[in-house]
Amino acid sequence: MLPAMLAIASICFVACSEDDHDLPAEATFSVALRTDDTYGKILVDEQGKTLYFAEKDVDGTSACSGGCVNVWPVVFDETFTAGPGLDAGLFGTITRADGQKQTTYKGWPLYRFTQDTKAGDNLGDNKNGFFTARPDYSLFFGNKGAGRYLVDALGRTLYTFADDTENASNCNGGCAAVWPAFFTEPPVVPSTLKSSDFYRISGSDSKQQVTFVKKPLYFFSKDEKRGDIKGTVANPKFSVITAN
C-alpha cells in the first residue's frame, strides 16, 4: 500500500509542478487604468505609478524640456500596449523638440513624476501646471504663458459671452452657428475645480449647454485645431475662462 501511495504522491508532485510552471506571468501594460480613492479612474504606467498631463501642452506638443524632464520624465514604450478598459486608438506618439518620442493620450503628452516613489502616489497633482492624468476629463486647462484657462478634453478653447445673463444664453441664430454651445455630462474636472460650479441649461433651441459659475460656455468655430484662441480677436465680447 505504501509504495502505491508514494507513487501517486510522486505523480501529483510532478503534475502540480508542471502546472505551476505553465502558469502565465501576470500581464503588464505600457499604460493601464487604476481606480484611485481621490481621483477616480486614472492612467498609470507598467509599475502602477501615476501619470500626468501638463496644462502648457494644450496644443499637443510638450512644453517640458531641459531640467523639467528630469523632474517629469516622459512616457514612451516602443512596444506600446493599452490595458483593459482603454481605447488604444486614443493613444499616439509625438517627436519632441529634443528628439525623444513621447506617448500621448487624447493628444496630451504623458509624464511620470520623480517624487512618486510607489504605486498610489499622486504627489505631482496640481504641481507646476501638472495634473493627474484621468481618461474621462471633460474639461482641462490650457496655459500658453498668460495664465490658466478652460479647454475641453481635446484641448479646444472654451469661451464666455459678455451679453449672457446668469445661466442663460443670449447667443442664438447666426451667433450660435459661429459659437457652438459646449455640453458634457457629467463634468469631470481637474482637482482645483469644483463640479458644483458647473450647471446644465437648455437654450431657446432646446440644445443643452454647460455653464461655469453661471456663465454659458462656447467653442469658436474658427478655432481649427487644439490650442487655438482666435475667438477673443474675432469678437471681444467673447473671452476665455480664466481659472486658478
Side-chain angles (χ1 to χ4, degrees):
M1 178 66 72
L2 183 57
M5 293 177 64
L6 290 173
I8 293 172
S10 177
I11 293 170
C12 180
F13 176 79
V14 172
C16 290
S17 297
E18 289 177 350
D19 288 345
D20 289 345
H21 182 72
D22 291 340
L23 287 174
E26 185 177 352
T28 59
F29 302 93
S30 306
V31 178
L33 270 181
R34 183 171 64 80
T35 300
D36 182 88
D37 290 342
T38 301
Y39 301 97
K41 292 181 179 179
I42 66 172
L43 301 181
V44 298
D45 69 7
E46 66 279 358
Q47 297 178 337
K49 291 184 179 179
T50 303
L51 299 180
Y52 297 89
F53 300 142
E55 61 185 26
K56 290 186 177 180
D57 294 352
V58 62
D59 62 0
T61 61
S62 174
C64 179
S65 60
C68 174
V69 177
N70 296 330
V71 180
W72 302 93
V74 304
V75 173
F76 179 70
D77 185 348
E78 193 72 51
T79 57
F80 179 85
T81 54
L86 291 172
D87 181 353
L90 296 177
F91 291 89
T93 302
I94 60 170
T95 300
R96 299 162 41 83
D98 59 12
Q100 291 187 76
K101 292 183 179 179
Q102 186 168 9
T103 298
T104 64
Y105 180 75
K106 293 184 179 178
W108 295 96
L110 290 169
Y111 303 85
R112 299 177 178 89
F113 183 47
T114 53
Q115 292 182 27
D116 286 344
T117 59
K118 63 183 183 301
D121 285 350
N122 291 90
L123 300 178
D125 188 73
N126 191 29
K127 185 177 288 293
N128 298 326
F130 287 79
F131 289 85
T132 301
R134 298 180 60 176
D136 53 354
Y137 278 130
S138 45
L139 297 102
F140 197 67
F141 295 126
N143 190 334
K144 289 192 169 184
R148 180 179 290 171
Y149 56 91
L150 289 184
V151 299
D152 78 347
L154 300 177
R156 295 175 296 184
T157 304
L158 297 172
Y159 300 85
T160 57
F161 182 35
D163 289 351
D164 284 344
T165 53
E166 289 189 356
N167 286 326
S169 171
N170 291 313
C171 180
N172 305 299
C175 174
V178 177
W179 300 91
F182 168 70
F183 178 72
T184 184
E185 190 178 40
V188 178
V189 298
S191 58
T192 57
L193 295 176
K194 295 186 294 184
S195 296
S196 57
D197 282 337
F198 295 86
Y199 185 71
R200 179 180 65 186
I201 62 172
S202 294
S204 58
D205 56 2
S206 298
K207 288 185 178 179
Q208 294 184 320
Q209 186 170 12
V210 167
T211 66
F212 173 61
V213 290
K214 301 182 179 182
K215 298 176 181 178
L217 303 184
Y218 302 86
F219 294 115
F220 180 46
S221 60
K222 294 187 179 180
D223 281 345
E224 297 167 347
K225 62 183 185 298
R226 62 182 305 139
D228 279 353
I229 314 177
K230 299 177 181 178
T232 54
V233 175
N235 188 334
K237 286 192 174 184
F238 283 85
S239 305
V240 297
I241 305 104
T242 57
N244 296 322

